[in-house]
Amino acid sequence: MERHPSGQLGGQLTAHRHDEGHTVAGWAGFAVATAGAIVTGLGICGWRPGIWLGICALATAALATWGLHLAGWGKPPGPRPSDLRGRDRAARDGHADCLGCRLAGRRGVPIRPESAPEPTATPAQAPSSADL
């Protein structure tokens, strides 16, 4: 088990280095979607309005999660360092490579590694088919 660089994280040891999405947007969407799935299941078992109410709740879960993500209560795609908690103030411009932000018209700055470009092989250096 690893310790956070500061030694501890919130008084607890952490076994991983990244937060995989424990956000307000994620938990709110999960809660509404769970309720929608339960109501849809009740509809399938015999309470007919439950099917439509559950489907509406599932759509609401998706829209609520997306709205909270755009408001800064979500996270950009991929793992983020665990020391980043709370509201993401950079979400107004959009997250790079984020489908939800692109659907809202936010582009964000693409993530590019800050390294030298890889050299391209010239025909003399390229492996021949005999080498493969």
Side-chain angles (χ1 to χ4, degrees), residues 49-123:
I51 294 174
W52 298 109
L53 291 173
I55 290 172
C56 289
L58 292 172
T60 301
L63 293 175
T65 303
W66 186 36
L68 286 169
H69 172 81
L70 294 175
W73 292 106
K75 69 175 219 50
R80 68 176 176 187
S82 60
D83 59 345
L84 293 177
R85 299 278 186 209
R87 192 167 183 186
D88 182 8
R89 305 277 183 212
R92 285 187 181 178
D93 299 328
H95 298 114
D97 302 327
C98 177
L99 176 63
C101 290
R102 280 185 287 167
L103 289 173
R106 301 176 183 180
R107 296 292 175 202
V109 178
I111 300 172
R112 301 279 184 242
E114 295 185 21
S115 62
E118 294 183 24
T120 57
T122 61

